[in-house]
Amino acid sequence: MFRWISFIMSRTETVTLNVKVSILSVSVTLQVVSAVLIAVGIYAKIAKEKDVVDTLTVDPALLLIVVGSVMFLITFLGCFGALRNATCLLKMFLGILVAVLLLQIAAGVVGYLFTDMVMERTERLMMKAIVRYREDQDLENAIDFIQKKFQCCGVESYKDWSHNVYFECSDTNPSLEACGVPFSCCIHQQNQTVLNTMCGYGMQQLEERSAGQDVFTIGCLEKIVWWAKNNLLLVAGLTAGLLLLEVCMICLAAAQISRIKKVQQQQKENAARSKSERKDSYWYPAFADFDDE
């Protein structure tokens, strides 16, 4: 009987240790990723000039800091809770992961049911980023990267750059880039070896067919949607992988909490049993012959 009890307890401790190691390994990995995000965001925030864009929606550096800090806090709860067998921290870790998972599912459902509203909000956000172009170096680099990657220009068309004060197409605009577009909108020629940063000058004054010979005329919003539809398996795979990782962490945290409670309950029962045995050892059996002693 005692052998079976010891075997079950050893198996329970082994499973608990394996679950703890799994939580620690995933949490430490995510903590390293979050620390890198925070470091990159802080470096970008310090390196940029003062009095620039500092809103969360259009500042990539601030976005990296916030995302990295939240990720680091969540993974710290799971890591420290599993390391110290603290059920309160593990429950907080579990609750936050469940809330994040539900929010992601709700966002996906809302985005599917209200596609037009989501597209309108996304268009406003992208247009706001175009308006603040040249005010933040990080934002400028991000927009240039997107326009080069997706071979697009503006939000809906290349003429959206007229909303920016530097590229506004009007007779009263003293900027040298008036009626132009950024160089990231330009079509890279095969034999071109030197980057021409003035290739987009005056392109808004041309018709779409004429401008299309030198710059991309299709908006980035349409190109991004088109890319997502053509790479639906990749997008679905990345989304499913992220959700699966969160579900695995939730299951591991729940299993660890359950194992800790079982071990604590067994320890209480063993303590109560040993206390009862010590108490019974003080009682002599009935009709004992004390004269033989």
Side-chain angles (χ1 to χ4, degrees):
M1 183 66 181
F2 290 105
R3 291 181 179 180
W4 279 104
I5 294 175
S6 61
F7 175 76
I8 293 174
M9 291 183 65
S10 63
R11 293 291 298 175
T12 302
E13 292 177 355
T14 303
V15 173
T16 304
L17 181 61
N18 293 334
V19 174
K20 180 187 292 188
V21 171
S22 300
I23 296 177
L24 288 175
S25 59
V26 177
S27 298
V28 170
T29 303
L30 294 178
Q31 277 187 330
V32 172
V33 175
S34 61
V36 172
L37 292 178
I38 295 173
V40 172
I42 293 176
Y43 173 78
K45 195 70 176 176
I46 295 176
K48 70 174 57 178
E49 299 177 359
K50 297 181 179 179
D51 300 329
V52 295
V53 183
D54 57 355
T55 56
L56 179 61
T57 55
V58 293
D59 190 355
L62 187 59
L63 185 63
L64 287 176
I65 295 174
V66 172
V67 173
S69 300
V70 173
M71 186 186 300
F72 186 86
L73 177 61
I74 295 174
T75 53
F76 176 78
L77 292 176
C79 181
F80 192 76
L83 187 63
R84 302 297 299 175
N85 290 332
T87 55
C88 58
L89 296 181
L90 288 174
K91 287 180 180 179
M92 291 177 61
F93 177 69
L94 177 63
I96 293 175
L97 287 181
V98 171
V100 171
L101 180 63
L102 293 178
L103 287 175
Q104 289 176 341
I105 296 175
V109 173
V110 171
Y112 179 77
L113 296 178
F114 303 96
T115 306
D116 296 336
M117 184 182 68
V118 173
M119 294 294 292
E120 182 181 355
R121 294 291 181 88
T122 305
E123 181 179 351
R124 289 181 182 178
L125 181 61
M126 294 177 66
M127 191 65 70
K128 185 178 180 181
I130 286 181
V131 172
R132 295 182 178 273
Y133 186 82
R134 293 285 172 81
E135 296 181 11
D136 189 334
Q137 188 67 36
D138 296 327
L139 181 62
E140 180 179 343
N141 293 333
I143 294 176
D144 289 336
F145 173 79
I146 292 174
Q147 292 189 147
K148 290 179 182 179
K149 178 67 177 179
F150 294 99
Q151 297 182 351
C152 56
C153 188
V155 180
E156 295 182 348
S157 69
Y158 65 104
K159 292 188 177 182
D160 290 335
W161 282 102
S162 189
H163 292 84
N164 186 277
V165 65
Y166 296 97
F167 302 98
E168 182 182 359
C169 192
S170 63
D171 297 334
T172 58
N173 188 3
S175 175
L176 295 176
E177 298 175 308
C179 296
V181 295
F183 72 95
S184 56
C185 292
C186 297
I187 299 176
H188 183 72
Q189 304 298 331
Q190 294 182 354
N191 298 327
Q192 184 179 0
T193 57
V194 180
L195 179 63
N196 182 13
T197 58
M198 297 186 296
C199 57
Y201 281 29
M203 288 298 166
Q204 294 187 47
Q205 295 176 333
L206 301 178
E207 296 295 331
E208 184 175 354
R209 181 177 298 180
S210 301
Q213 298 178 0
D214 297 318
V215 298
F216 303 111
T217 57
I218 302 177
C220 292
L221 182 59
E222 181 181 350
K223 277 295 189 72
I224 292 174
V225 173
W226 178 83
W227 180 88
K229 290 181 179 179
N230 289 341
N231 298 273
L232 190 60
L233 292 178
L234 177 61
V235 176
L238 293 176
T239 304
L242 179 60
L243 295 178
L244 182 61
L245 177 62
E246 294 177 358
V247 171
C248 290
M249 292 296 294
I250 290 173
C251 295
L252 289 174
Q256 182 68 5
I257 293 173
S258 177
R259 297 294 180 182
I260 292 174
K261 289 184 177 180
K262 287 183 178 180
V263 171
Q264 290 177 349
Q265 184 65 26
Q266 290 178 355
Q267 290 177 351
K268 290 181 180 179
E269 292 177 357
N270 293 335
R273 187 181 298 109
S274 61
K275 183 178 180 180
S276 177
E277 291 176 355
R278 288 197 304 268
K279 185 176 180 181
D280 292 340
S281 62
Y282 290 105
W283 294 89
Y284 292 99
F287 308 105
D289 190 3
F290 296 99
D291 296 335
D292 295 340
E293 299 179 359

